Amino acid sequence: MDLEKLLTDRLAPAFATVAGEPVDPVIRRSQRADFQSDAALALARRLGRPPRAIAAEVLRHAELADLCSVAELSGPGFLNLTVADDALAGLVSALAVSPRLGVPVAAVPETVVVDYSAPNVAKEMHVGHLRSTVIGDAAARLLEWLGHRVLRANHLGDWGTPFGILIEHLVDVGEAEAAQELSMGDLDSFYKAARAKFDADEAFRERSRRRVVALQGGDEVTLRLWRLLVEQSERYFLAVYDLLDVTLTKRDFHGESSYNDLLGPVVEDLDRLGLLRESEGAACVFPPGFVGRDGEPLPLIVRKSDGGYGYPATDLAAIRHRTDTLSATRLLYVVGLPQRRHFEMVYAAAAQAGWLAPPARAEHVGFGSILGPDGRMLRSRAGGSVKLVGLLEEAIARATALARQRNPELGEAEAAEVGRAVGVGAIKYADLSSDRHRDYVLDWEGMLSLDGNTAPYLQYAYSRIRSIFRRAGVAVRPEAGISLAEPAERALAFELVGFARVVDEVAVNLEFHHLAGYLYRLAAAFSTFYERCPVLRADGPLRESRLVLCDLTARVLRQGLHVLGIRTPERM
Ligand code: ARG
C-alpha cells in the first residue's frame, strides 16, 4: 500500500465528517513536510468557513497517530504531514519480503490486445515503427506483469495494391535471388526497384494490375509468391525484434490479410444496420462528430469505388474480431499521432455498429516523431528515412566502445554484451523517457551519457549495487529490521514505497516517461544515500538495514527497467 493512499484513507473520513460530504484530501508530496493536503482551502469556499478552522477540525478527527510523527496546520489552511520513521520502516520491510515489490496483480484482470509495431511487408522498418515497437512492448510487458491476459497483435501491412508490383518484380528477379535480397534486410532497394519499373514501364504496370486481381481472387501461384514475400519480411522483422529485446514472436503476426474473410460481412452488416452511405461510388460510414475543414461530415471509406477494401475496413474487422472472438475489453493501438483521426473514426463507427461496447473500449496510444539534431524529421544522410537497424547498430557500436573505455577490466565478450545492453537500452530509454505525445530529438551523446535521465545511468546504478554485494560477498536478509535515521535513508525509502503508485498510474495512461522519471529519482536518491550513509562499514543491524535498502533499490530498478524492455547487466 502506498503512502498517498494510506494517508488519504485516514484523512478522507475526517474531511467527510467536517464537510458532511465526501472530500478528496488531495495528498501530495511537499517541500515543507513529507506530504501535504490542501483540500481545506477549496472546501472553505464551498462551506463558507475559514480554511484554517476547517483544517484544524479535520486534524482533530483524523486518526494519524500511528502513521505520522507530526501532523500540523500551516499557512492559510494546509495540513503538513510528517510520516513516522517506524511507519515508513514498516512499509519498507513489507516491500522487502514482497516478491512483487508491493505491486499487486490487477483486481479485475482483463484481456488486452496491444496492436503495435506493424511494419509493412517488403518495406524497411523506419523510426516511426521503432516508437510503436518500443512503447507497445512496454505496454504489453507492464500489463502482463499486472496479471492481465495480453494478446500482442502485430498488424503487419501485408495486403493491398502494392503487392501486385512487388510480386511482378519478384517474378522478374527470380525467387531465389529475391529471397536472398530480402533476407539481407535490403527491403528498401527491393521496393524501390519495383516502384521504378512501375513508373517507367507500361507493360509492367499492366502485369501488376492483373496480379492484384489474381491475388485478391485467391490464385494459388500468386498466393505462393505473396507468401514468399511475407515470410521473408517476417523473418527479417523477427531478427530486428530479437536485436531490440522485443517480446513479439511469430505467433503475434496478425497481418491485414488475416482479416480478409471478415471484410465482406463487415460491409454487409454495416449496410444492414443502416450505417452505410454511398459517396462518389465508395461505401462510407459517417460517424457522428467528424467534420472536415469545410464543415462537411467526414467519410470513413470501408469499400472503395473499385470494390477494394481499404485500411478502415481492415481495422473495423479487427475490432470486431478482438471484442467478439478474442473477448478483449481493452484495445490499445500504438500508432503515431498522424493516424489519430483515423482511429477515432474507426472507434466511433465500431461503437455505432455495436462492436465496441462497454466494458470494451479502444485507446489510441499515440506518439510524436523522432527528430534529428537539426530539429527536423530524422533523415539519413541521403535524405531518405533512417533505417531502424542502422540506428541500433550505431548505438551498439558506440556503447561497446564506451564500455571498453569505461571499464578496461571487461573481457571482449563481456564488453560486447554490455555494449548491446547499453546501446539498445539507450535507444529504448530515450524514447520511453520522453512524453510520447511530443516529438523528441535523437541525441547520441545525451542518451549514452552516464549522467542524467538515461538508460546507462540507471543500468550503472543497478550494477553498482550488485557489485556491493559481490565485492563484500554478503547476502541480504530481507526480514532484517529497517532503521531510517538519516534524511538520505528516509528519502530513499519514500521513493521505494512509491513504486506501486507509479506502476498503477502508468498502467492506465501508458505514459512511460512517468515510470522512467520515477526510476531516475530512485537512482538519484540511492546515489545520495550511498554517498552519505556507509553500508559495508556500518555495524550490525544498521548494516543489515542498509543492505536491505540497497537490495530493494536494485530489485525495483531491475523490475522497472524490465518493464521498459531494458536489460540490467551485472557489471558495466
Ligand atoms: N502498418 C501501418 C503503418 O506502417 C500501421 C498499422 C497500425 N495498426 C492498425 N491496426 N492500423 O503505418
Side-chain angles (χ1 to χ4, degrees):
M1 173 93 75
D2 65 78
L3 270 163
E4 282 89 339
K5 180 117 192 7
L6 276 175
L7 291 167
T8 301
D9 286 354
R10 300 297 181 86
L11 281 182
F15 269 106
T17 307
V18 174
E21 63 185 41
V23 177
D24 179 354
V26 209
I27 303 287
R28 37 189 195 83
R29 292 300 299 269
S30 164
Q31 302 285 344
R32 291 181 220 102
D34 294 330
F35 290 93
Q36 72 182 59
S37 159
D38 302 350
L41 272 69
L43 204 55
R45 262 164 263 142
R46 270 221 304 288
L47 299 182
R49 290 180 51 194
R52 281 186 67 93
I54 295 176
E57 203 180 326
V58 167
L59 266 189
R60 278 200 300 281
H61 283 95
E63 271 180 50
L64 293 166
D66 60 327
L67 208 52
C68 297
S69 53
V70 183
E72 63 187 5
L73 190 59
S74 103
F78 306 131
L79 291 177
N80 286 353
L81 308 167
T82 303
V83 176
D85 286 348
D86 52 351
L88 185 55
L91 290 174
V92 171
S93 292
L95 217 54
V97 295
S98 157
R100 295 184 54 88
L101 297 160
V103 177
V105 293
V108 186
E110 291 192 88
T111 296
V112 187
V113 171
V114 189
D115 183 318
Y116 71 108
S117 193
N120 302 309
V121 164
K123 268 185 151 180
E124 201 60 58
M125 285 176 86
H126 55 70
V127 289
H129 295 119
L130 170 70
R131 297 214 70 183
S132 173
T133 306
V134 167
I135 298 168
D137 206 49
R141 285 165 178 266
L142 172 63
L143 296 173
E144 211 154 54
W145 185 50
L146 294 178
H148 297 288
R149 173 173 171 246
V150 172
L151 304 174
R152 292 163 174 78
N154 196 345
H155 197 85
L156 205 64
D158 65 353
W159 201 249
T161 41
F163 283 89
I165 306 168
L166 288 165
I167 293 171
E168 283 309 318
H169 181 57
L170 176 84
V171 170
D172 291 355
V173 174
E175 288 179 34
E177 293 279 316
Q180 169 82 8
E181 200 175 318
L182 293 169
S183 67
M184 285 174 19
D186 213 354
L187 303 187
D188 269 350
S189 52
F190 188 85
Y191 190 86
K192 280 197 192 112
R195 199 66 234 183
K197 264 197 274 176
F198 182 83
D199 290 337
D201 181 348
E202 172 56 36
F204 185 82
R205 275 202 289 276
E206 188 45 39
R207 275 163 57 198
S208 303
R209 272 192 283 271
R210 278 205 301 273
R211 191 59 89 170
V212 176
V213 177
L215 181 64
Q216 281 163 351
D219 172 59
E220 266 315 314
V221 177
T222 304
L223 277 176
R224 194 180 59 77
L225 297 171
W226 168 77
R227 243 175 254 126
L228 209 131
L229 285 173
V230 175
E231 274 162 21
Q232 286 300 339
S233 301
E234 284 185 351
R235 201 167 301 164
Y236 172 67
F237 297 143
L238 286 172
V240 175
Y241 299 148
D242 192 48
L243 190 62
L244 256 183
D245 287 327
V246 157
T247 57
L248 282 166
T249 67
K250 207 169 156 45
R251 282 193 314 277
D252 305 316
F253 284 113
H254 302 289
E256 295 179 15
S257 67
S258 65
Y259 300 100
N260 278 345
D261 294 344
L262 307 176
L263 300 177
V266 159
V267 176
E268 283 157 31
D269 290 341
L270 288 172
D271 197 19
R272 227 173 8 85
L273 291 163
L275 293 172
L276 271 196
R277 278 197 1 234
E278 194 169 306
S279 172
E280 294 168 34
C284 306
V285 181
F286 290 86
F290 295 92
V291 290
R293 285 225 194 96
D294 51 7
E296 291 297 306
L298 280 176
L300 189 66
I301 302 173
V302 288
R303 196 179 52 217
K304 295 183 271 189
S305 54
D306 66 3
Y309 301 100
Y311 195 51
T314 319
D315 270 321
L316 282 171
I319 289 195
R320 197 180 186 181
H321 175 69
R322 289 167 187 180
T323 54
D324 271 11
T325 310
L326 305 175
S327 313
T329 48
R330 192 176 184 195
L331 311 185
L332 302 178
Y333 291 81
V334 191
V335 190
L337 283 171
Q339 294 192 39
R340 160 142 275 166
R341 198 170 61 194
H342 160 76
F343 284 108
E344 279 175 353
M345 290 180 75
V346 166
Y347 302 158
Q352 278 187 294
W355 302 332
L356 187 61
R361 71 263 181 227
E363 297 160 47
H364 179 216
V365 184
F367 51 81
S369 308
I370 307 182
L371 307 178
D374 57 357
R376 308 212 280 165
M377 290 285 280
L378 191 65
R379 295 255 166 254
S380 69
R381 242 161 280 148
S385 62
V386 171
K387 269 198 188 189
L388 184 54
V389 186
L391 203 68
L392 290 173
E393 282 165 355
E394 173 154 8
I396 294 171
R398 284 178 185 249
T400 308
L402 283 173
R404 284 204 195 95
Q405 198 182 315
R406 281 170 188 158
N407 187 353
E409 282 167 30
L410 292 180
E412 220 20 57
E414 198 173 6
E417 207 176 302
V418 169
R420 180 173 181 270
V422 171
V424 173
I427 291 267
K428 293 173 94 169
Y429 192 84
D431 200 294
L432 292 165
S433 60
S434 32
D435 181 344
R436 66 177 162 79
H437 297 99
R438 295 167 184 259
D439 299 343
Y440 73 90
V441 174
L442 187 92
D443 164 17
W444 287 112
E445 258 91 67
M447 74 165 90
L448 287 165
S449 165
L450 278 180
D451 296 314
N453 189 8
T454 65
Y457 176 72
L458 298 178
Q459 289 169 318
Y460 182 68
Y462 174 80
S463 71
R464 190 156 77 144
I465 300 173
R466 300 296 300 157
S467 85
I468 298 170
F469 288 98
R470 210 173 31 240
R471 268 188 294 126
V474 288
V476 67
R477 236 177 23 91
E479 60 287 351
I482 300 295
S483 96
L484 301 171
E486 294 290 326
E489 286 174 312
R490 290 187 93 242
L492 178 58
F494 276 118
E495 294 303 343
L496 288 168
V497 302
F499 184 46
R501 186 178 178 81
V502 174
V503 166
D504 215 44
E505 173 203 320
V506 175
V508 175
N509 61 24
L510 302 171
E511 291 179 353
F512 289 96
H513 67 291
H514 293 307
L515 177 55
Y518 163 80
L519 294 174
Y520 177 53
R521 286 196 304 277
L522 173 65
F526 177 80
S527 176
T528 308
F529 156 79
Y530 198 57
E531 247 167 58
R532 311 226 169 119
C533 307
V535 176
L536 294 175
R537 279 176 288 113
D539 288 324
L542 188 58
R543 173 178 152 128
E544 289 224 71
S545 164
R546 288 180 177 170
L547 283 172
V548 171
L549 292 178
C550 290
D551 181 61
L552 259 178
T553 303
R555 284 169 59 205
V556 172
L557 283 174
R558 186 178 57 196
Q559 181 61 47
L561 287 171
H562 183 72
V563 161
L564 299 180
I566 295 170
R567 293 189 189 192
T568 40
E570 294 291 304
R571 305 207 305 169
M572 264 174 79

